[in-house]
Amino acid sequence: MPALIQGLTGESIGEAAKYAGWMLFAFSIMQFISSPILGNLSDRFGRRPVLLASLFGFGLDYIFLALAPTLAWLFVGRIIAGVCGASITTGMAYIADISTPEKRAQNFGMVGAAFGIGFIVGPVLGGILGEYGARVPFFAAAALALLNWLYGYFILPESLPAEKRRPFEWKRANPFGAIKQLRKYPLLAGLLFALFFIYIASHAVQSTWAFFTIERFQWSESMIGYSLGTAGLMVGLVQGLLIRVINPWLGPNKSVYVGMLLYFIGLILFAFAFQGWMMFAFLVPYCLGGITGPAIQGIMSNQVPDTEQGELQGGFASMVSITSIIGPPLMTGLFAYFTSAKAPFQFAGAPFFIGALLTLISLALSIRSLRKHH
């Protein structure tokens, strides 16, 4: 994406980072709007049709992005992707459907492991293909999304039986209505507020990693791909394997606390890294922090009945989307400012440092909420 944006605009890496931040903003606005709609549609019609429609839309969208002639077309593509990407709410509801309450945290961890495997293969493949042209990875992504749609069409069964479905209601299918509906569960409301800050913090990594490593260490697209592949391998190991040991051993509450503390340590170390190898080493504590997400998902999912799992995941995704509306412009803006001549001092790691402070706020709020209600 950095190379494609720079190719279309001719701007510096700092300015390209700002454009990328605003693209994530557009993507997240559409996720914010669409997540509760798709979550509630899946409670009404089942998970399978929503997942299939979204995957097909993703395939078409990546073709659209690969052919985009201007920056404006890239923005349109990211808007379409935001609608289709909201299907993660349905995927998480599917996991809740087929899991017993005591296994939900571990099975949500398997979703994280699937993302981790994707982050091993995807960025490495994208980095290698990017050497042949900035648009080639987008065609590869389109092919993978459409293959996934074919797999879903012929293999994936429905997980929500007809007797557990409920009528679709627009008042519950808008993002504010979905979040408001969750307020009847005090623990959910408290944890969502705590997660708000850590998800903004996560955009220090998600939104600026490529730009930071290009600016600080002059990394190539392939090196960025390898680094993200390493991150994906660690996330896959943590959420696919380690969480099955750590979560029962520590318990859900302590898993949340320890995970957030590890996130904080990782972000602080990223902020002050001065050699490229350090970014690989500091991925260890940061990725170990991944025990937090599945633990919180398991706690929240066990608070609501089966008929409201899609709505829960829709409301949760809407909250995440709000942070994705705020996070990318904030973090890429910080990066652009502290790498520009206007800054009082040069500090490319500023987004990571601010992210670490936000993580401490999340930790304090999580401790307060879980001690009070759980």
Side-chain angles (χ1 to χ4, degrees):
M1 189 62 88
L4 184 56
I5 294 171
Q6 283 189 290
L8 289 172
T9 64
E11 298 279 7
S12 68
I13 192 71
E15 288 301 308
K18 284 206 292 190
Y19 287 126
W22 286 110
M23 281 184 204
L24 277 169
F25 174 85
F27 175 90
S28 301
I29 283 279
M30 295 314 299
Q31 275 212 321
F32 175 65
I33 295 168
S34 303
S35 290
I37 295 175
L38 294 189
N40 276 268
L41 282 172
S42 78
D43 280 345
R44 170 64 183 89
F45 297 106
R47 317 302 185 201
R48 178 181 152 86
V50 174
L51 287 170
L52 290 178
S54 298
L55 282 170
F56 188 73
F58 247 138
L60 296 181
D61 176 64
Y62 279 121
I63 294 171
F64 185 92
L65 288 168
L67 299 172
T70 65
L71 192 66
W73 283 100
L74 280 184
F75 272 96
V76 173
R78 297 316 291 158
I79 288 169
I80 297 169
V83 176
C84 298
S87 61
I88 184 61
T89 63
T90 306
M92 297 303 270
Y94 192 111
I95 295 298
D97 292 341
I98 62 172
S99 305
T100 59
E102 60 273 13
K103 290 288 185 183
R104 276 178 179 159
Q106 295 179 26
N107 290 343
F108 285 135
M110 289 301 290
V111 178
F115 273 105
I117 294 167
F119 264 93
I120 298 165
V121 179
V124 174
L125 184 62
I128 293 168
L129 293 175
E131 300 288 342
Y132 298 97
R135 297 175 185 271
V136 176
F138 293 91
F139 284 112
L144 288 168
L146 291 173
L147 281 171
N148 203 9
W149 171 73
L150 283 172
Y151 171 83
Y153 185 82
F154 289 107
I155 305 294
L156 186 76
E158 179 56 65
S159 66
L160 187 68
E163 65 272 14
K164 289 191 175 181
R165 298 179 190 181
R166 62 175 179 81
F168 180 85
E169 299 175 56
W170 277 108
K171 68 179 181 181
R172 297 172 70 167
N174 70 80
F176 299 105
I179 293 172
K180 185 179 179 182
Q181 192 72 14
L182 299 180
R183 288 175 59 192
K184 64 186 179 184
Y185 305 102
L187 177 59
L188 294 190
L191 286 178
L192 282 174
F193 189 50
L195 285 172
F196 179 80
F197 293 99
I198 202 167
Y199 274 96
I200 291 177
S202 71
H203 281 283
V205 176
Q206 294 176 26
S207 302
T208 69
W209 182 272
F211 300 98
F212 174 81
T213 52
I214 290 170
E215 169 71 23
R216 194 83 173 82
F217 310 115
Q218 293 75 54
W219 280 6
S220 65
E221 279 91 347
S222 56
M223 180 58 82
I224 294 166
Y226 294 135
S227 70
L228 291 173
T230 302
L233 176 61
M234 292 183 186
V235 169
L237 289 172
V238 170
Q239 299 204 355
L241 297 175
L242 282 182
I243 196 165
R244 293 180 173 269
V245 177
I246 293 172
N247 192 273
W249 177 53
L250 288 177
N253 290 18
K254 286 184 180 177
S255 294
V256 172
Y257 307 152
V258 172
M260 287 188 177
L261 188 60
L262 287 165
Y263 272 140
F264 168 77
I265 293 168
L267 287 166
I268 283 288
L269 291 173
F270 287 148
F272 295 101
F274 55 88
Q275 292 189 18
W277 65 266
M278 292 179 173
M279 299 302 285
F280 286 87
F282 298 160
L283 280 169
V284 174
Y286 182 78
C287 291
L288 282 170
I291 63 173
T292 300
I296 288 185
Q297 284 276 72
I299 291 168
M300 294 199 304
S301 183
N302 288 338
Q303 300 294 309
V304 303
D306 292 342
T307 55
E308 296 180 19
Q309 290 294 330
E311 182 177 44
L312 164 64
Q313 299 302 334
F316 177 75
S318 289
M319 185 281 299
V320 173
S321 296
I322 294 172
T323 67
S324 298
I325 292 165
I326 298 166
L330 172 65
M331 296 305 180
T332 55
L334 281 168
F335 173 80
Y337 178 72
F338 279 100
T339 56
S340 72
K342 295 180 290 185
F345 54 90
Q346 295 290 294
F347 185 31
F352 299 122
F353 185 78
I354 296 300
L357 297 181
L358 292 171
T359 302
L360 283 183
I361 295 173
S362 282
L363 176 58
L365 291 171
S366 295
I367 292 171
R368 177 178 175 272
S369 185
L370 286 168
R371 284 183 176 175
K372 186 176 180 181
H373 298 293
H374 195 239

